[in-house]
């Protein structure tokens, strides 16, 4: 029992070390990874290489796939680009198997303890905390491999006749046996959510000589399918394209399993010969970890090479498996990008919030256009329906501000860089000002509703002036959305400032003219007040736009 607990503890330490190392690397390179994924996916080959690079860096195909799914959800990557990145992630994750095979063949204790010492020193120096976390993670990982290897030797399974007889009872020449172990590998990986842990168990059993190499490789194939569960679970609350990207990971691996099973035994024999191992002879257990790592690499490289040209076909299969749903009406409150909880790295969560803020701004622009339409609407039923839509949008703006702010509050609880903290502060200001834009539109709609209930209407010159200032306000909103979508280093506040200056100048002129017109009895004081309410709200709206732009550039 003591040895079993040692094995379980070593596996737990391995999973924790992998998680710690991966998260530390993502924190150190979060923004860079985002730029790499955005810039290097111009075609299938570069997308695949990007997946290899990023997964090799963060040591987790699940992390890369979940990151890719979130980018598809945020509209940064197309489904075809995501599929190529996921293919590369499958190759990148084979590095983990090589690290593990190294851990079983080389004594790493001399490396582990200095890494622990340096890591704890860096953790207490906040500036280098992420580097310290990375060193601790990799030290835990190597230490767990040493513990697994030691516990495996203590178990001495090779001399446990019952265990030897149990594994010997399986017919390794039967495809049914291979499929059964493939299913076992899939289920276990899906449950523990760590292909690294299952790979470690497989290497342990093979290195002791009790698990035949064919069955060990079947478990490895199952791990390839089981690891796709992470991305599919993460995509449950995402949009259709993101769920298709997660499904592509499963489809890609299933296609791979189908063709490799057709040539399973010859393929395994070729891999064994590459490392000088004869599966028909006993002994040579020390070579089995290398055989497993080599098979994992050869399978994923071959699968990617074969299927890279079939990305459009895989895309069609995913679209068939997950058909498009009817989009809800635009009047329904629904966040488009913030779904399914926080992402694994704060930088990606902030990116989703930025995309949601652009979506918020576009909704407020639609709300303003409804207000312009309301100004011209003379039919009572149509006026009432349009006013109700504006009321609903005002409620949507309140909810969107609250939801985005709450989401950013959760993100801010994580360990953040100064740059990310500044982005969160700017986004909180942006969503607050966008909600104020919604309030301004609603106030204008209410002024028009009150005016409709009176007998007196605006004069033709008043209509012309309101249309004029609304046109400037529309230009300000259009420019604001362009600023929110653009790269900060390429933006300038000058166009927005110029529009704001024009709005202010027009407001001042119309205010002076209104006083004169009321004194000359050109129209009543009441209609003059309703008229100036419209002008003042447009000017306020322009101020809110400037505040959003300034927050974006801060």
């Amino acid at each position: 029992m003591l040895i079993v607990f040692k094995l379980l503890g070593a596996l737990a330490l391995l999973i924790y070390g992998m998680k710690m190392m991966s998260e530390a690397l993502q924190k150190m390179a979060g923004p860079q990874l985002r730029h790499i994924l955005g810039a290097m996916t111009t075609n299938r080959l570069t997308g695949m290489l990007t997946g290899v690079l990023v997964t090799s860096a963060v040591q987790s195909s699940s992390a890369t796939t979940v990151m890719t799914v979130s980018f598809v959800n945020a509209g940064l990557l197309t489904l075809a680009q995501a599929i190529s990145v996921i293919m590369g992630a499958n190759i990148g994750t084979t590095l983990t198997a090589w690290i593990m095979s190294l851990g079983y063949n080389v004594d790493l204790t001399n490396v582990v303890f200095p890494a622990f010492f340096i890591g704890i020193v860096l953790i207490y120096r906040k500036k280098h905390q992420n580097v310290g976390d990375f060193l601790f993670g990799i030290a835990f990982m190597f230490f767990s491999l040493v513990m697994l290897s030691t516990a495996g030797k203590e178990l001495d399974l090779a001399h446990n006749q019952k265990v030897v007889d149990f594994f010997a009872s399986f017919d390794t020449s039967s495809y049914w046996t291979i499929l059964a172990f493939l299913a076992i590998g899939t289920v276990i990986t899906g449950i523990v959510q760590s292909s690294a842990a299952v790979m470690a168990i497989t290497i342990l059993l093979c290195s002791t000589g009790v698990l035949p190499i064919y069955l060990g490789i079947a478990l490895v194939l199952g791990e390839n399918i089981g690891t796709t569960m992470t991305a599919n679970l993460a995509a449950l609350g995402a949009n259709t394209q993101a769920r298709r990207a997660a499904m592509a990971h499963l489809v890609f691996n299933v296609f791979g399993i189908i063709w490799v099973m057709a040539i399973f035994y010859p393929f395994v024999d070729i891999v064994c010969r590459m490392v000088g191992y004869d599966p028909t002879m006993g002994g040579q257990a020390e070579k089995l970890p290398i055989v497993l790592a080599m098979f994992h690499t050869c399978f994923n490289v071959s699968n990617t090479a074969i299927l890279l040209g079939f990305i459009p076909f895989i895309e069609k299969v995913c679209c068939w498996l997950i058909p498009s749903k009817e989009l809800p009406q635009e009047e329904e409150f629904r966040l488009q990008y913030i779904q399914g909880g926080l992402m694994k790295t704060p930088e990606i969560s902030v990116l989703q919030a930025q995309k949601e803020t652009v979506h918020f701004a576009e909704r407020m622009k639609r709300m303003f256009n409804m207000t312009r339409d309301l100004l011209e609407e003379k039919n009572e039923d149509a006026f009432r329906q349009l006013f109700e839509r504006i009321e609903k949008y005002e409620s949507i703006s309140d909810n969107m501000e609250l939801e985005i702010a709450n989401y950013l509050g959760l993100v801010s609880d994580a360990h953040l860089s100064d740059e990310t903290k500044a982005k969160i502060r700017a986004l909180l200001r942006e969503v607050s000002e966008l909600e104020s834009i919604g309030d301004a539109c609603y106030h204008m709609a209410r002024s028009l509703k009150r005016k409709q209930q009176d007998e007196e209407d605006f004069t033709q010159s008043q209509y012309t002036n309101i249309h004029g200032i609304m046109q400037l306000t529309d230009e300000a909103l259009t420019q604001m959305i362009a600023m929110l979508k653009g790269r900060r280093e390429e933006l300038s506040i000058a166009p927005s400032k110029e529009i704001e200056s024009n709005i202010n100048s027009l407001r001042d002129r119309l205010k002076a003219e209104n006083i004169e017109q009321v004194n000359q009895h050109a129209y009543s004081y009441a209609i003059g007040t309703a008229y100036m309410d419209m002008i003042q709200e447009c000017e306020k709206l322009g101020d809110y736009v400037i505040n959003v732009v300034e927050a974006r550039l801060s």
Side-chain angles (χ1 to χ4, degrees), residues 442-452 530 533-534:
Y442 183 54
H443 290 157
M444 282 190 278
R446 289 176 62 187
S447 294
L448 290 171
K449 187 179 182 182
R450 285 194 299 270
K451 190 268 301 178
Q452 191 204 33
D533 283 345
M534 298 293 293

Side-chain angles (χ1 to χ4, degrees), residues 168-235:
S169 66
F170 293 102
D171 182 7
T172 57
S173 63
S174 168
Y175 267 100
W176 291 112
T177 304
I178 301 301
L179 289 171
F181 273 76
L182 188 151
I184 291 168
T186 301
V187 172
I188 295 175
T189 307
I191 292 171
V192 301
Q193 290 287 293
S194 173
S195 58
V198 183
M199 175 65 80
I201 295 170
T202 307
I203 290 176
L204 172 66
L205 291 172
C206 285
S207 63
T208 57
V210 297
L211 183 67
I213 189 62
Y214 293 113
L215 302 186
I217 284 174
L219 287 175
V220 171
L221 288 173
E223 292 156 22
N224 277 274
I225 298 179
T227 194
T228 65
M229 293 300 106
T230 306
N232 279 281
L233 288 172

